[in-house]
């Protein structure tokens, strides 16, 4: 998208975030639900196909353009930013392995919003990598799956599960495969998980597979390519995106903190005139901008086709730890009332904890970074 059109779109999203989405955010917190009308409005406005190519029905934004809009959406409610983030990215791992027939049958309809998919990798007794245990075996023109997945965002409502398993008797990356599993397929049991601390209204599923049967033509790529598709097609760009969601949420916490520091008077002085608060504000502003620039650097690498795991993990690691520092200081500026429900800063404080788990913990990011440095890459 050219610069002029992008500026118009960015202004439109800014107004939407500061208007309509503030109303949605209050309703979601009051009701505990992020209803289908929210999804429908985001879809109708085209905000769930921003990052996809125009030939797929998307807006064709560059990755760095998309990141700038994602920062804005992340200044709204946690569930709303989750919808925008996941739906703008889930087509990538599918497209990474899909053949042309599957691209027409699955990828383009997902971009257009005609069907939905959820990313199903994490398991109760395994992490999100080569230790997955969900097994598959081939019987005729079907794969038969057994195992469990949990913490699957939107797994309770998605039409398909972008699910990763391994052929029976294999280990490591060997034998891993990616399948698009219909949520209502025989042998698929969907259990809705308890509500989360934050991200009110976002549904998560615990999926139990008992001899679940999936047509063989739902296999994406080849057996043995599953985890490579998950990591290269999804996790690296998604880690960069999560980094930007941290920037957006931190920016909102910062703005609320600055506003509060001017309003709140103690011992005859606004907090904004206290040196310690000024120090916090300076530290917060610097922290946010440093994270923003690191994320955008990784975004530019993605646009150039040069994104590798280390800069993706660095962006996510620094941004998520920055978010914890900023939200902690922001709530401190608000004081005790900022701990009470009904105040946006309290919700932000809860929502901020979620990013520490999304697309790998800080410890995972450090392991990725160190592995590549020590390998001389």
């Amino acid at each position: 998208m050219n610069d002029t059109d992008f500026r118009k779109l960015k202004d439109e999203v800014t107004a939407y975030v500061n208007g309509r989405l503030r109303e949605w955010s209050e309703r979601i917190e009051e009701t505990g639900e992020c209803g289908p009308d929210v999804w429908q409005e985001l879809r109708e406005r085209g905000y769930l196909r921003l990052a996809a190519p125009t030939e797929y029905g998307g807006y064709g934004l560059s990755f760095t353009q998309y990141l700038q809009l994602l920062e804005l959406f992340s200044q709204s409610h946690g569930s709303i930013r989750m919808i925008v983030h996941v739906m703008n990215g889930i087509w990538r791992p599918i497209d990474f392995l899909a053949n042309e027939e599957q691209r027409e049958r699955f990828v383009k309809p997902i971009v257009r919003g005609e069907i939905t998919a959820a990313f199903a990798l994490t398991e109760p007794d395994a992490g999100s990598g080569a230790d997955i245990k969900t097994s598959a075996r081939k019987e005729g023109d079907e794969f038969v799956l057994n195992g469990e997945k949990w913490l699957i965002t939107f797994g309770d409502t998605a039409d398909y599960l972008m699910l990763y398993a391994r052929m029976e008797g294999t280990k490591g990356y060997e034998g891993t495969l990616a399948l698009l599993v219909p949520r209502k397929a025989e042998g698929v049991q969907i259990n809705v998980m308890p509500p989360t601390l934050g991200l009110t209204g976002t549904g998560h599923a615990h999926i139990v597979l008992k001899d679940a049967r999936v047509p063989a033509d739902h296999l994406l790529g080849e057996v043995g390519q599953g985890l490579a598709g998950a990591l290269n097609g999804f996790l690296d760009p998604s880690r960069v995106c999560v980094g930007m969601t941290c920037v957006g949420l931190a920016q909102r916490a910062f703005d609320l903190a600055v506003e509060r520091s001017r309003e709140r008077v103690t011992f005859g002085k606004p907090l904004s005139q206290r040196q310690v608060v000024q120090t916090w504000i300076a530290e917060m502003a610097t922290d946010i901008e440093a994270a923003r620039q690191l994320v955008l650097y990784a975004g530019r690498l993605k646009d150039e086709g040069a994104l590798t795991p280390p800069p993706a993990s660095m962006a996510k690691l620094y941004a998520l730890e920055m978010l914890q520092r900023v939200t902690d200081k922001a709530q401190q500026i608000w004081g005790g009332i900022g701990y009470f429900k009904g105040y946006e800063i309290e919700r932000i404080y809860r929502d901020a904890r979620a990013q520490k788990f999304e697309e790998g913990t800080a410890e995972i990011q450090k392991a990725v970074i160190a592995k590549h440095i020590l390998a001389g890459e």
Side-chain angles (χ1 to χ4, degrees):
M1 181 177 288
N2 64 48
D3 290 345
T4 301
D5 288 342
F6 179 68
R7 281 195 297 271
K8 289 179 181 177
L9 178 58
K10 192 172 181 180
D11 288 344
E12 174 192 307
V13 171
T14 300
Y16 185 60
V17 167
N18 291 321
R20 179 68 162 167
L21 291 191
R22 296 274 176 253
E23 299 172 13
W24 282 127
S25 298
E26 292 177 8
R27 193 198 76 174
I28 292 168
E29 284 299 309
E30 289 171 0
T31 64
E33 297 179 355
C34 184
D37 51 350
V38 177
W39 283 75
Q40 187 60 27
E41 184 168 298
L42 290 169
R43 185 176 290 116
E44 288 175 352
R45 294 179 72 97
Y47 296 153
L48 305 188
R49 51 188 176 92
L50 296 166
T54 53
E55 60 267 29
Y56 289 9
Y59 273 45
L61 297 183
S62 71
F63 196 62
T64 48
Q65 287 176 331
Y66 169 63
L67 288 173
Q68 292 175 62
L69 298 187
L70 184 60
E71 178 184 347
L72 295 173
F73 281 110
S74 301
Q75 294 175 29
S76 65
H77 192 276
S79 279
I80 293 171
R81 77 92 182 158
M82 184 70 86
I83 294 170
V84 173
H85 165 53
V86 173
M87 292 301 106
N88 273 288
I90 190 62
W91 63 271
R92 279 197 184 91
I94 302 172
D95 187 61
F96 188 80
L97 295 174
N99 58 37
E100 283 305 317
E101 187 273 333
Q102 292 170 330
R103 195 161 283 123
E104 293 295 329
R105 184 158 50 125
F106 299 118
V107 180
K108 293 181 181 180
I110 286 173
V111 170
R112 292 193 297 263
E114 296 164 4
I115 57 175
T116 56
F119 190 77
L121 177 60
T122 303
E123 299 180 357
D125 298 318
S128 298
D131 58 342
I132 59 171
K133 298 176 182 177
T134 298
S135 68
R137 67 177 185 272
K138 186 79 178 297
E139 288 188 2
D141 59 356
E142 292 180 319
F143 284 97
V144 181
L145 304 176
N146 284 281
E148 295 180 60
K149 301 288 181 181
W150 75 346
L151 315 180
I152 307 305
T153 305
F154 307 135
D156 56 330
T157 56
D159 299 308
Y160 290 91
L161 305 169
M162 178 62 183
L163 189 140
Y164 297 87
R166 66 170 61 259
M167 296 299 288
E168 291 179 348
T170 65
K171 60 183 180 179
Y173 278 69
E174 176 194 356
T176 60
L177 68 162
L179 285 163
L180 272 176
V181 179
R183 179 168 56 90
K184 296 182 179 180
E186 176 189 349
V188 176
Q189 179 181 324
I190 305 290
N191 301 313
V192 178
M193 299 191 72
T196 48
L197 173 67
L199 304 180
T200 303
T202 296
H204 295 83
H206 180 184
I207 299 158
V208 180
L209 305 159
K210 294 182 178 179
D211 288 331
R213 295 186 171 273
V214 183
D217 63 1
H218 285 219
L219 173 69
L220 297 165
E222 300 176 0
V223 171
Q225 293 183 324
L227 281 179
L231 299 175
N232 299 325
F234 186 73
L235 283 182
D236 283 344
S238 192
R239 281 171 175 163
V240 178
C241 289
V242 171
M244 191 53 95
T245 70
C246 293
V247 172
L249 191 57
Q251 184 67 54
R252 180 60 179 167
F254 176 77
D255 292 343
L256 290 172
V258 170
E259 180 183 345
R260 179 65 171 167
S261 76
R262 291 179 174 135
E263 294 173 348
R264 189 181 179 201
V265 176
T266 61
F267 302 99
K269 256 188 189 180
L271 288 183
S272 60
Q273 293 181 21
R274 306 270 178 198
Q275 187 173 15
V276 66
V277 174
Q278 292 176 354
T279 299
W280 289 348
I281 288 172
E283 290 171 346
M284 294 159 76
T286 304
D287 227 0
I288 292 168
E289 190 59 33
R292 180 182 288 116
Q293 295 305 321
L294 185 56
V295 171
L296 288 173
Y297 166 70
R300 289 192 294 273
L301 291 178
K302 175 71 171 67
D303 280 332
E304 295 164 5
L307 180 64
T308 57
S313 287
M314 288 176 186
K316 202 247 170 174
L317 172 65
Y318 187 83
L320 73 88
E321 296 193 335
M322 171 279 297
L323 177 60
Q324 312 311 308
R325 294 190 292 268
V326 168
T327 51
D328 189 64
K329 288 172 183 169
Q331 196 177 56
Q332 196 72 6
I333 289 171
W334 267 79
I337 196 65
Y339 192 65
F340 282 71
K341 289 189 180 296
Y343 287 87
E344 188 177 357
I345 196 66
E346 182 272 340
R347 171 175 62 76
I348 288 173
Y349 193 78
R350 284 184 288 111
D351 285 353
R353 197 64 178 82
Q355 276 101 319
K356 296 196 79 170
F357 303 111
E358 292 175 33
E359 322 304 16
T361 61
E363 292 72 26
I364 289 292
Q365 310 310 322
K366 291 173 185 177
V368 169
I369 296 164
K371 174 186 173 183
H372 284 264
I373 290 172
L374 294 173
E377 298 176 8

